[in-house]
Amino acid sequence: MIRMIMHGCNGRMGQVISGICKEDSEIEIVAGIDAYTGLKNDYPVFVNIAECQIEADVVVDFASAPAVDGLLDYCVTHKLPVVLCTTGLSEQQLAKVEEAARQTAVLKSANMSLGINLLMDLLKRVAKVLAPAGFDMEIVEKHHNQKVDAPSGTALALADSLNEALDNAYAYQYDRTQDRKSREKYEIGIQAVRGGSIVGEHEVIFAGTDEVVEFKHTAYSKAVFGKGAVEAAKFLAGKPAGRYEMRDVITAVCGL
């Protein structure tokens, strides 16, 4: 049985993951960390991770950017693997993530969905064939009306996958209303939609002459991110120090 600490246990994702782990015989949450203690959980909850002395095999983090520094310090001190899901980290914090990975196992991903991460690998293969054949590449991402950042981190990660496949240094193109010119070779356009309660939808379009190829991923609930995080925790427990990504989890789970 893998023993897990849930960092940010009383947030929306923390509660989703708590429910998933309760039904999973391979993993259990032995402690939670959250500044808010108004919810009742089946495990002890600490306001600060430094107060937690419970033995664990891995930490899953879905908290806030300001809490990441203390989390990384704790995981380095205890040589505890960490699945880092919090977004919006500063450049200094990202550098600290890389430093921590030299001393313990760290898995960080822009999107914890297994489907999205599998899509990223598929896109690399497709881009190597279609982009040189003259297909234009566009990404359309849709999210709920409370999401303030655009493009989404996942859309940027998808664009990075395409660029990586093509050894392409060209930056993505967002909001063409400010830059009126014909598109460059291997240019990646990104469009953002914000409305309603859309959890997350990402569509990648390869548009060629007289034919279009489309790839689409739709998240209907936040549970898809929770399931991915739990699979990542199972994968990371016991791993040596190093920097890991969700593609490593995909390889381990699917053998791809």
Side-chain angles (χ1 to χ4, degrees):
M1 177 75 75
I2 295 171
R3 301 165 298 174
M4 186 183 102
I5 294 174
M6 183 65 235
H7 191 249
C9 63
N10 287 338
R12 183 178 297 180
M13 283 306 305
Q15 288 297 292
V16 167
I17 291 173
S18 294
I20 292 171
C21 289
K22 189 180 295 186
E23 303 299 323
D24 193 322
S25 62
E26 298 178 1
I27 192 167
E28 67 171 334
I29 299 178
V30 294
I33 314 297
D34 207 294
Y36 175 68
T37 58
L39 295 181
K40 181 176 177 57
N41 294 286
D42 295 332
Y43 46 81
V45 177
F46 302 87
V47 173
N48 192 305
I49 194 168
E51 302 170 359
C52 180
Q53 300 300 319
I54 296 176
E55 292 289 328
D57 303 303
V58 64
V59 178
V60 169
D61 162 67
F62 260 109
S64 63
V68 166
D69 292 295
L71 168 66
L72 292 174
D73 290 338
Y74 181 90
C75 290
V76 167
T77 298
H78 293 80
K79 296 296 184 287
L80 190 60
V82 56
V83 178
L84 192 60
C85 306
T86 294
T87 57
L89 303 185
S90 67
E91 291 299 323
Q92 292 81 2
Q93 287 178 309
L94 291 174
K96 189 167 185 175
V97 169
E98 299 305 323
E99 176 61 31
R102 298 188 181 97
Q103 302 178 67
T104 191
V106 179
L107 189 151
K108 183 179 182 302
S109 176
N111 188 304
M112 299 307 297
S113 160
L114 292 174
I116 278 288
N117 284 277
L118 180 58
L119 176 59
M120 289 179 186
D121 280 347
L122 292 173
L123 289 176
K124 290 179 182 179
R125 303 181 194 181
V126 175
K128 289 179 180 179
V129 176
L130 296 185
F135 282 68
D136 298 319
M137 298 173 288
E138 292 284 316
I139 298 172
V140 180
E141 57 100 339
K142 303 176 184 178
H143 286 87
H144 53 84
N145 58 20
Q146 299 302 302
K147 186 174 179 62
V148 296
D149 59 314
S152 69
T154 299
L156 296 178
L158 291 169
D160 287 342
S161 293
L162 296 171
N163 280 326
E164 181 182 335
L166 299 168
D167 295 323
N168 184 26
Y170 190 88
Y172 64 86
Q173 179 71 29
Y174 180 65
D175 187 11
R176 287 193 175 89
T177 60
Q178 303 302 314
D179 193 6
R180 295 174 178 267
K181 62 179 183 179
S182 59
R183 64 184 303 137
E184 304 283 346
K185 181 181 180 181
Y186 292 171
E187 176 182 313
I188 301 169
I190 303 180
Q191 310 303 322
V193 176
R194 297 289 176 267
S197 59
I198 301 171
V199 175
E201 182 179 299
H202 294 83
E203 185 176 12
V204 183
I205 303 167
F206 293 88
T209 302
D210 298 329
E211 61 178 327
V212 175
V213 179
E214 297 176 320
F215 292 83
K216 181 178 178 181
H217 178 275
T218 302
Y220 291 103
S221 78
K222 291 183 177 294
V224 298
F225 311 120
K227 291 174 184 175
V230 171
E231 289 302 322
K234 293 178 185 179
F235 164 83
L236 201 64
K239 289 290 188 296
R243 182 74 159 78
Y244 299 86
E245 298 181 1
M246 281 300 288
R247 71 180 62 178
D248 300 313
V249 181
I250 294 290
T251 300
V253 172
C254 304
L256 299 177

